[in-house]
Amino acid sequence: MAVREEPSRSRGTSDLEGDDRTAARPRAREPRERSERDQLRALAAAPEARRASTARALVLMAVFGCAACGLVYELALVALGSYLIGNSVTQASIVLSVMVFAMGVGSLAAKPLQRHAVIAFAGVEGALALLGGLSVLSLYAAYAWLGLYVPALVVVAFAVGLLIGAEIPLLMTLLQRIRKQDAGSAVADLFAADYVGALIGGLAFPFLLLPIFGHIKGALLVGACNAVAGMAVVLWLFRGQVRRGARAVLWAGLAGVLVVLGGTYALADRFEVSARQALYRDPIALAEQTPYQEIVITRSVRLSGRPDLRLFLNGDLQFSSIDEYRYHEALVHPAMVGPRANVLVLGGGDGLGLREVLRYRDVRQVTLVELDPEMIRLARGYEELAELNGRAFDDPRVRVVNADAFTWLRGRVAQRAAGFDVVIVDFPDPDDVSTAKLYSQEFYGLLRRALAPGGRAVVQSGSPFFAPKSFWCIGRTIGAAGLATTPYHLDVPSFGDWGFVLATEGERAPGLRVDPAVAGGLRFLDQQVLQASAVFARDLRRTDVEINTLVKPTLVEYQRQEWRDL
């Protein structure tokens, strides 16, 4: 029994072990088989995953491009309003607030469109390309021919903002169709592309589109980018989700938008000439858009046979060749009585004030600070303007600095450089915050410190008749900076009654005199005229004005109210 049981036990053991091995072998092979199956599945899924990643990247590129285009539209509308109307703060506030509100409305309006996100996105991009691309042109036309700029601006800003707001929900839907993703990650990816695109659009507008293509053509090019985005994302990437008939309609629509934009681009120069001419009474001889301003020169011949050359900066008249000598003689010569070896001219890039300064042979050096180098180039090279300023920039005593006057003056004061005997301030009217800083108490404080002992400064100060609050605000602001002031005004037919403020350091107001050395060569100004210029009629005197500062640019509001009333 023992002998027989032993083999039995042995067999039993052997059978169990055999069963265990038999059961273990399939379990040992199963991970290998599963691994092989997973590898086969991974190999099969790899192209699909790559396609999904590529599709997501393309959609995010579309988000990037749409954000860049949207910001360019905003900046283009703000800049156009600043050039045409002035007061960039008001223009920016209107455009940005209306567009942001409209974007919220557009996002809500896109909710029911998400079921047909592909077709809806193509339609939104086509409409945005057409409306955004033509926005600057249509507003320019509304301003030039209809006089309805602000209402048109609100309507266009709202419509463009509405379409921009509809883009994000639709793009989010398209992203999720490619590959489901948790909401937080999807939003992070989308907004990252959106914000980077906004950065690129914000930099491209002032440094590329505006200086190279200008307002109208730049907007048209950006509109074309929107149309191309609609074609690329919808009609190529998601073409399988759109029926053939609908796809053909969308292709035709977006292609039609591109044709319209391209045709408008070809005619843009002709339109701009016509629209610009509608804004000016006389024929335009030259028009240039610089990074800083729009420069327009008009030329006409009066019945008397006298030619009339006029310079406009951002639509504001700077001089007429018929009577500019009245303005520039009144501006320069009262300040030139006394020491004058070292003279500073701030602004005045046309060179006409410089011409008057150079009448004095004892002037050893004149530094002229002008922001826009293109204005200097025209003053040197545009023949009629160069003749009018007596080719002042060819005088070896003249040194030109292209810089922002505020920044340059602050740097010079910080360096404790030698003071100027005379400072002549000939800036455009302060109808914008960027210009109003040059009429601020802080700026005049720097001006006072830049004067040599006994030095004089003169500031063109606008019209005491048409803008009395602005005029007296400038005078009071100069006084608040520690300078004694003498306001005066004269008649310049192209401008009307125009005023200036003569200032010097100390408590005693400077007197108004003309140096006998040049008095005989002047066409308008003499001692009698200058003495009378210090008298202001009762209806021109104002004391209810505040000081203009960087923090509180009161002068901009005075300008807006007074010139709007006209």
Side-chain angles (χ1 to χ4, degrees):
M1 288 293 293
V3 174
R4 287 196 295 268
E5 286 176 357
E6 184 65 28
S8 175
R9 285 196 298 272
S10 177
R11 283 195 301 273
T13 304
S14 178
D15 288 340
L16 286 173
E17 290 173 355
D19 290 341
D20 290 342
R21 286 194 297 271
T22 302
R25 276 196 297 271
R27 284 195 295 270
R29 285 198 303 272
E30 186 175 350
R32 289 198 296 272
E33 292 173 356
R34 188 182 302 117
S35 175
E36 291 172 357
R37 287 196 302 270
D38 290 344
Q39 289 176 6
L40 290 173
R41 289 196 192 100
L43 289 173
E48 183 178 348
R50 285 196 293 269
R51 285 195 296 271
S53 297
T54 302
R56 283 180 58 81
L58 290 174
V59 173
L60 290 174
M61 285 180 62
V63 175
F64 172 90
C66 291
C69 293
L71 194 62
V72 168
Y73 293 140
E74 293 181 22
L75 295 175
L77 297 183
V78 170
L80 181 66
S82 300
Y83 287 150
L84 297 180
I85 307 296
N87 199 348
S88 59
V89 173
T90 300
Q91 299 303 313
S93 299
I94 292 174
V95 171
L96 297 181
S97 58
V98 170
M99 288 190 74
V100 170
F101 168 71
M103 288 167 65
V105 175
S107 296
L108 291 175
K111 290 175 67 175
L113 302 177
Q114 293 178 31
R115 289 186 301 174
H116 309 286
V118 177
I119 295 176
F121 182 74
V124 166
E125 289 306 287
L128 184 56
L130 196 61
L131 183 59
L134 298 174
S135 60
V136 173
L137 183 144
S138 60
L139 287 174
Y140 205 163
Y143 179 78
W145 287 297
L146 302 177
L148 297 173
Y149 179 79
V150 174
L153 175 65
V154 172
V155 172
V156 169
F158 183 85
V160 172
L162 190 74
L163 294 170
I164 293 174
E167 288 178 320
I168 295 298
L170 296 176
L171 286 167
M172 176 68 80
T173 302
L174 295 178
L175 271 179
Q176 294 292 64
R177 284 190 182 182
I178 296 170
R179 187 180 72 212
K180 288 291 184 181
Q181 191 178 13
D182 64 276
S185 298
V187 169
D189 291 344
L190 194 87
F191 279 7
D194 185 78
Y195 293 150
V196 174
L199 170 66
I200 299 303
L203 295 176
F205 177 73
F207 296 114
L208 178 65
L209 292 173
L210 190 59
I212 296 177
F213 300 102
H215 262 108
I216 295 177
K217 287 186 174 180
L220 290 169
L221 287 174
V222 173
C225 292
N226 275 122
V228 170
M231 287 180 168
V233 172
V234 175
L235 300 178
W236 177 70
L237 189 59
F238 292 94
R239 59 188 180 278
Q241 300 184 22
V242 182
R243 293 180 179 179
R244 182 176 300 176
R247 193 162 62 241
V249 170
L250 292 175
W251 268 111
L254 290 172
V257 169
L258 285 176
V259 169
V260 171
L261 294 177
T264 307
Y265 187 94
L267 299 173
D269 290 335
R270 199 175 304 173
F271 166 85
E272 192 169 0
V273 169
S274 300
R276 185 184 289 117
Q277 186 59 70
L279 300 175
Y280 298 94
R281 182 188 65 184
D282 299 327
I284 293 175
L286 178 143
E288 292 189 10
Q289 179 67 61
T290 78
Y292 305 102
Q293 59 197 344
E294 182 186 58
I295 302 174
V296 173
I297 295 177
T298 65
R299 183 194 301 113
S300 65
V301 178
R302 297 291 177 252
L303 294 176
S304 62
R306 289 190 302 170
D308 185 4
L309 191 75
R310 295 185 173 221
L311 171 68
F312 296 84
L313 299 180
N314 292 340
D316 294 332
L317 177 65
Q318 303 303 304
F319 71 79
S320 164
S321 61
I322 290 178
D323 57 18
E324 58 79 17
Y325 65 91
R326 285 186 164 225
Y327 172 91
H328 291 101
E329 287 182 7
L331 171 70
V332 171
H333 294 292
M336 297 295 289
V337 177
R340 53 187 178 228
N342 192 12
V343 179
L344 172 65
V345 180
L346 299 175
D350 51 36
L352 300 177
L354 185 61
R355 175 198 65 201
E356 298 300 320
V357 171
L358 295 175
R359 288 178 182 268
Y360 298 87
R361 295 186 177 183
D362 52 347
V363 170
R364 293 201 304 269
Q365 179 175 315
V366 185
T367 303
L368 187 143
V369 180
E370 165 65 43
L371 177 63
D372 194 347
E374 186 62 21
M375 190 66 248
I376 301 297
R377 188 189 69 81
L378 288 174
R380 289 179 183 272
Y382 191 75
E383 187 61 27
E384 292 175 85
L385 183 53
E387 289 182 4
L388 196 61
N389 64 41
R391 304 192 184 278
F393 289 98
D394 295 338
D395 193 300
R397 295 175 290 174
V398 176
R399 170 176 170 256
V400 175
V401 177
N402 290 123
D404 173 75
F406 195 107
T407 303
W408 182 85
L409 196 60
R410 182 171 58 181
R412 186 177 176 88
V413 169
Q415 295 170 4
R416 298 184 179 180
F420 293 97
D421 300 311
V422 179
V423 178
I424 296 167
V425 183
D426 190 16
F427 294 133
D429 291 343
D431 55 4
D432 186 273
V433 172
S434 60
T435 312
K437 73 176 184 179
L438 302 173
Y439 291 81
S440 65
Q441 182 181 358
E442 292 85 348
F443 179 79
Y444 294 134
L446 294 174
L447 181 63
R448 177 177 61 83
R449 294 166 64 188
L451 284 173
R456 291 184 166 199
V458 64
V459 179
Q460 88 82 13
S461 306
S463 173
F465 179 78
F466 296 114
K469 282 189 174 182
S470 301
F471 177 81
W472 294 106
C473 171
I474 293 171
R476 187 179 176 194
T477 302
I478 296 172
L483 294 167
T485 62
T486 299
Y488 61 104
H489 63 125
L490 305 101
D491 179 57
V492 181
S494 296
F495 297 152
D497 187 18
W498 210 257
F500 310 86
V501 176
L502 183 65
T504 189
E505 195 168 12
E507 298 180 357
R508 185 175 180 180
L512 294 172
R513 292 186 293 124
V514 180
D515 194 308
V518 298
L522 302 183
R523 300 170 60 186
F524 167 63
L525 200 65
D526 61 21
Q527 193 58 43
Q528 289 181 318
V529 170
L530 201 51
Q531 287 178 348
S533 70
V535 179
F536 288 82
R538 295 179 64 182
D539 61 341
L540 299 182
R541 305 171 197 161
R542 298 297 295 265
T543 57
D544 56 334
V545 293
E546 298 182 23
I547 294 169
N548 185 60
T549 67
L550 292 177
V551 176
K552 188 177 181 182
T554 309
L555 188 55
V556 176
E557 184 61 22
Y558 289 155
Q559 285 273 308
R560 186 186 68 83
Q561 291 176 353
E562 292 175 324
W563 289 107
R564 182 184 62 185
D565 292 341
L566 297 177

